[in-house]
Each structure stands twice: as C-alpha cells, then as structure tokens.
Amino acid sequence: MLEDSLKTQLKTYLERVTQPFEIVASLDGSDASNEMKGLLQDVAALSDKITLKTDGADARKPSFSLNRIGAQMSLRFAAIPLGHEFTSLVLALLWVGGHPPKVEPEVIEQIKALEGDYNFEVYMSLSCHNCPDVVQALSLMAVLNPRVKTVTIDGALFQDEVNQREIMAVPTVFLNGEVFGSGRMGVEEIVAKLDKGSAARDAAKLSAKDPYDVLIVGGGPAGAAAAVYAARKGIRTGVAAERFGGQVNDTLAIENYISVLETDGPKFAAALEAQVKAYEVDIMNLQRADKLIPATQPGGLIEVQLANGGSLKSKTVILSTGARWREVNVPGEQKYRNKGVAYCPHCDGPLFKGKRVAVIGGGNSGVEAAIDLAGIVSHVTLLEFGEQLRADAVLVSKLKSLPNVSIHTQAQTTEITGDGQKVNGLSYTDRATGTVNHIELEGVFVQIGLVPNTEWLKGTLELSKHGEIVVDARGQTSLPGVFAAGDVTTVPFKQIVIAAGDGAKAALSAFDHLIRATPVVPVVNTEARVKVDMAEA
C-alpha cells in the first residue's frame, strides 16, 4: 500500500511512540475496505507497540479507531487518510502513542479543562488543504480529553451521508449533531468557541501588554517579513494576526517565489511563522483588529483595538491585513454560501462529483478552477463579465479543449437560485443582447479576485476608491508612524514576493521613523537576532 520510501520515513516517526495502542478497523467487502486494511497493515508492521484488529463493529464502514491501552479516548477515521490527510494520520498515531504535541502548554490545559461532552464529526476531502488543520485539532482534543470524541469522515467515501446532511463545503464540523463551523479552524480557535470565558481573559491579557516599538497587524507574507526585519533591529516587535499566513493558506500551489522551486500555501505559511518565531516576536494569533486610534501628539502611542475587547499600543504600526475573496454580490450568494456557493475549488470540488457547476470569473483563477473541476464534475459553465477571457493563453487553450465545459463571455451574473436549502441554478444577462438566461446546476464557484481588508480603517486614514491603503514609496500611510504593506495597499500586482518585499521595506521605514523621532533602546539580542544576512551587510 505505502511506498518503501514512505514506510521508511513513517517507521522513523513511529520510533517516538512510547505507549502501546490498538488500531481497530470496521470493514466490509468493498474495495475501499481492502485499501484501508492494506494501509493499516503497513502501519502496524512498522512498530511493535501497535496492534491491528479487524473485528470492529462501527456502523461506518470502512473506518478505524485508535485506542491507547488502558486509556479512554474516542478517535476515529472514516476515511483512508492519504493525500493531504496523511500528516493527520501520522500525528494521530504519535499522539495516541504518547508523543507530546507541539502545542502551547496553556492550550493543552485549556483542552483538558473543558467541561461537558463533545461529539465531533468533521467532513473533509483528501484534496482539501484547509481540512488537515481542523482534523488535527479535533484529533488532539480527543487524545487529551476523554469527554471529546471525534470522527473524521471523507465526504467522497461517504457520499450518501454528505447528500443527506446537505454538506456543500469542507471542512464542515458537526458538534453533537448540529453544525459547529465550516472552513479552516485551528485548535486555539475551536477551544475558544467552546470555552466561553476565554475571550474576556484573552482581552485582559492583551490590554496588559507593554507598548511595542513596532506592532504589525496581519500575519501574511508582508506581516511576516516586517516582523523579521523589525526584530533583527533589536526592537520590541509584536504581530496581531487573525490567522498567520493569511490568504496564502488558501493557495494550493506556489511555484514563483524566488529560490523556492515549488511548495503549497499551508507549508509556506508554516515556514513564515517558524521564521518569525525564531526571533523574539510576540505573536498574537486569532486577533482581528477593529479600530485604529492615531497618536494624539507627535511621538505618542498608536492604539489598535481588537474585536474581543482587548487593546494594543505601539510607537509605530504596520498594517498588513491583506485581502479576501471578492464576492459577486448578487441575490442568493450569502443565503447559499457553503450550500452550493463556494470559493475554493480544490477544497470543495470533490463534493460536486458528477454534478453541474458554474465558475464565475475568466481570469487565471477562474480558468484554472474550471479546468480542475472539469475532471470531477459532469459539466462546468464558465461565466466572464468581459468580452474575452483574461487568463493566460495556455490556460484558455486547455479550457477550450475540454468537452464538458461551456464558456459564456459578456455574461453578468444576476442571481444564484436555490430551493431554500441548497443551490439549484444561476441566472445571468447576456450583455451583448440583453437576454436573460438561467442555468440549472448544483454549485457555483466564485473566482473574481480579491478585496482589501480595510473596512475597519474607513475614516481613519486615506484609502483609494478600491478601498486599498494609500502608501508612498516607503510604505508610509497618511498617518505619521503608521505604515502598510502587501495586498491591502495601492501597490500594484498582488503577489507573495511583492508583499514580502513591501513588508521588509515597511519595517525598515518604521525603524527609520523611530530613530528620527526618539532614541531606540534595543531589547536584549538573542543568538538568532544577531545573525546578519548578506543583504544587510
């Protein structure tokens, strides 16, 4: 089942297992059961602390549970966890086998202290790069707290169950039979939703922090680069981010970041965070900025108020809140979001296997989405507002070669329709003729670009007509001491490499502002901080 190289790698990991445990499989005579059995046999053969049993009686077949000997836990996979989920399997094996997780001690204690009974079901797809975070978070919680039960379900493997529950997006999490959440969630976010008092405690802790020399709002490529460059100057640096990595987390393939031949978004985001953590940067995750209050006098402190009620202060601020998927803003879009309206074809595409879908947007993202979906669904209709597709010629040529794709240009989407529960069609106007058309389908993928995350800044500093933060060549905004970088600004060409460069530039500009305003007393240097790269020499 597993390739020899993967077995060798997995065997090395399993040497970290310190406590014996069982894998109990519930199987039937299906091909999927045989595939699962083969995988589990390969895994069990790699460690003398793992015992495989195939006499399980769970109703979901195929599935398997991981049970530590002498301990109470409920951790099950109704899936063959390969692809993006292979790492989830490896981590679950290690945690059940007693290997300690790399999670902050306070989060572990918060999980163990949860009161009540929590029965989680998470629906995912093996091609979803957002799903592993959720799967791993819930698996960890099941290992640490016996009152937490979790089962990971492959939507493609249990299609009838997905249809019955009308699941149209992954990851989708049910708690005690009710929808708990949809989309990427980390363990801290899940625990915060369960621990009702955590927000107030977190707000108080944040408000008590000493002022920063540089506070960066946003943790994407621009924010990460700014943090590294600021920290290397020996000044007190903080990062408040809603999710570290930002929009990069939703990017499947990255093949144009100089010196990195190829990677994927989640790996790149993890690398960004790891490099920032190598310095004495105060990282505050799951923090959404709500209001920016400028300094009341020259050299005064700038305040950033957070959505949870907390507040942070700093001598300078770098705004790098990035952008999000642009919505088409027609009737039905919000009503049927995650009920047929989707924004990530790689994540949600497998849920529409054999169905009819539309893609709105004829740029590179839209055409790539249509090409990917054409290999899964029965038919794809691509709608482009302009007179011609805007994607690269090679992508357009590939799209036009596919037999199950229809292309409509000068098509203005006017409504996404549904039956009250899920999408059943889309209406558009032919801009050339004025004719109104309706397409019957089950899914709509919106791929029309990005919108900057600046709603919280309106009326505070200068924004462009598109809502972007206006910056000069140094990243300076219209407010003294406030800089900005990345996709949230007026800088053209929204690319990772450009955002990273702008983040570095904004940090250097902020430092220059500090040394000209007041003397800067560096914090104690760590070994990592005193390293000077050739670019700074």
Side-chain angles (χ1 to χ4, degrees):
M1 177 67 184
L2 294 176
E3 296 179 357
D4 289 342
S5 60
L6 201 55
K7 287 182 182 179
T8 301
Q9 186 179 7
L10 181 56
K11 181 176 177 62
T12 301
Y13 282 122
L14 293 179
E15 289 174 354
R16 304 174 187 177
V17 170
T18 60
Q19 300 183 40
F21 65 91
E22 297 177 337
I23 303 176
V24 181
S26 299
L27 307 171
D28 52 24
S30 65
D31 291 341
S33 284
N34 292 332
E35 185 179 357
M36 178 178 287
K37 184 177 181 180
L39 170 63
L40 299 179
Q41 287 174 333
D42 284 351
V43 170
L46 298 176
S47 174
D48 59 4
K49 289 186 169 58
I50 302 176
T51 302
L52 174 62
K53 296 183 177 180
T54 58
D55 58 353
D58 191 80
R60 288 191 180 97
K61 295 181 175 64
S63 67
F64 64 92
S65 62
L66 304 179
N67 309 316
R68 183 186 298 166
I69 306 301
Q72 180 184 354
M73 64 178 60
S74 182
L75 171 57
R76 176 173 295 276
F77 286 87
I80 303 169
L82 297 173
H84 286 295
E85 292 298 344
F86 186 69
T87 299
S88 300
L89 171 62
V90 173
L91 289 174
L93 293 169
L94 292 176
W95 294 334
V96 173
H99 186 68
K102 294 182 179 180
V103 179
E104 295 295 331
E106 61 183 26
V107 176
I108 292 177
E109 292 306 312
Q110 198 175 0
I111 294 171
K112 290 180 177 180
L114 287 173
E115 298 180 354
D117 295 310
Y118 304 96
N119 184 10
F120 286 103
E121 300 165 289
V122 52
Y123 289 85
M124 58 80 179
S125 69
L126 298 179
S127 62
C128 169
H129 55 279
N130 287 325
C131 294
D133 278 3
V134 182
V135 172
Q136 293 163 23
L138 293 175
S139 295
L140 175 62
M141 292 173 64
V143 170
L144 295 175
N145 189 328
R147 302 186 73 170
V148 176
K149 301 178 180 179
T150 183
V151 55
T152 297
I153 305 159
D154 181 0
L157 197 59
F158 291 87
Q159 192 73 45
D160 290 343
E161 198 168 322
V162 166
N163 291 336
Q164 181 181 4
R165 281 184 144 171
E166 297 184 340
I167 297 168
M168 309 295 288
V170 290
T172 292
V173 180
F174 285 78
L175 172 58
N176 299 334
E178 302 293 331
V179 175
F180 175 77
S182 182
R184 179 191 292 270
M185 292 181 286
V187 63
E188 293 177 350
E189 185 176 356
I190 294 172
V191 173
K193 291 182 70 172
L194 299 175
D195 184 356
K196 301 302 183 182
S198 63
R201 294 195 302 271
D202 196 27
K205 186 187 302 183
L206 292 168
S207 298
K209 288 180 179 288
D210 293 333
Y212 298 93
D213 292 311
V214 176
L215 174 63
I216 299 147
V217 184
V228 169
Y229 269 75
R232 289 173 68 88
K233 293 297 185 182
I235 57 180
R236 177 165 163 76
T237 304
V239 177
E242 197 163 353
R243 58 168 179 162
F244 214 96
Q247 190 79 4
V248 166
N249 287 294
D250 302 324
T251 303
L252 186 62
I254 299 173
E255 299 174 344
N256 57 357
Y257 194 85
I258 308 306
S259 83
V260 179
L261 186 61
E262 60 179 336
T263 185
D264 62 47
K267 287 181 181 178
F268 190 82
L272 291 176
E273 187 167 9
Q275 185 167 9
V276 173
K277 284 182 175 178
Y279 298 88
E280 287 185 354
V281 175
D282 187 5
I283 298 177
M284 296 158 280
N285 264 320
L286 303 180
Q287 302 303 328
R288 180 167 60 85
D290 195 52
K291 188 176 182 180
L292 178 70
I293 302 178
T296 56
Q297 59 186 13
L301 294 176
I302 303 162
E303 182 179 356
V304 175
Q305 294 182 352
L306 304 171
N308 65 1
S311 175
L312 300 169
K313 294 181 179 180
S314 181
K315 296 176 183 177
T316 62
V317 169
I318 297 174
L319 304 173
S320 58
T321 47
R324 63 188 183 276
W325 293 116
R326 186 180 297 277
E327 297 175 348
V328 69
N329 291 320
V330 298
E333 181 178 19
Q334 294 303 320
K335 181 177 182 178
Y336 295 108
R337 191 183 184 106
N338 295 328
K339 297 178 182 179
V341 175
Y343 300 84
C344 180
H346 304 295
C347 302
D348 301 331
L351 299 177
F352 294 86
K353 183 178 181 181
K355 298 179 179 178
R356 301 160 298 175
V357 303
V359 174
I360 302 175
N364 281 348
S365 296
V367 171
E368 287 175 352
I371 292 171
D372 289 345
L373 290 167
I376 302 171
V377 304
S378 64
H379 190 270
V380 179
T381 300
L382 186 140
L383 304 172
E384 162 58 31
F385 183 85
E387 295 182 1
Q388 60 185 15
L389 301 182
R390 296 169 286 109
D392 296 341
V394 63
L395 294 175
V396 174
S397 177
K398 173 64 176 177
L399 181 71
K400 290 181 177 180
S401 72
L402 300 175
N404 62 334
V405 174
S406 299
I407 301 171
H408 300 284
T409 56
Q410 297 198 70
Q412 181 177 1
T413 303
T414 55
E415 183 180 9
I416 297 171
T417 61
D419 60 7
Q421 300 296 321
K422 57 185 178 180
V423 166
N424 64 14
L426 178 149
S427 297
Y428 73 94
T429 299
D430 186 323
R431 296 173 56 238
T433 65
T435 305
V436 176
N437 302 277
H438 184 78
I439 310 168
E440 293 184 356
L441 42 75
E442 288 76 39
V444 177
F445 289 83
V446 181
Q447 299 282 289
I448 56 173
L450 302 171
V451 59
N453 295 315
T454 56
E455 288 84 357
W456 65 288
L457 294 168
K458 289 180 178 178
T460 305
L461 46 65
E462 184 181 359
L463 302 176
S464 73
K465 64 179 181 180
H466 300 296
E468 300 165 318
I469 301 173
V470 177
V471 293
D472 64 13
R474 299 169 60 87
Q476 173 71 57
T477 72
S478 60
L479 291 177
V482 179
F483 302 83
D487 289 0
V488 75
T489 72
T490 49
V491 172
F493 310 120
K494 312 304 184 184
Q495 298 290 311
I496 294 172
V497 67
I498 294 175
D502 281 350
K505 179 171 61 178
L508 296 174
S509 297
F511 181 74
D512 184 67
H513 176 86
L514 285 169
I515 61 177
R516 292 176 186 277
T518 56
V520 175
V521 180
V523 297
V524 177
N525 283 332
T526 63
E527 180 181 351
R529 182 171 294 143
V530 298
K531 295 177 182 177
V532 179
D533 58 37
M534 293 302 295
E536 295 178 348

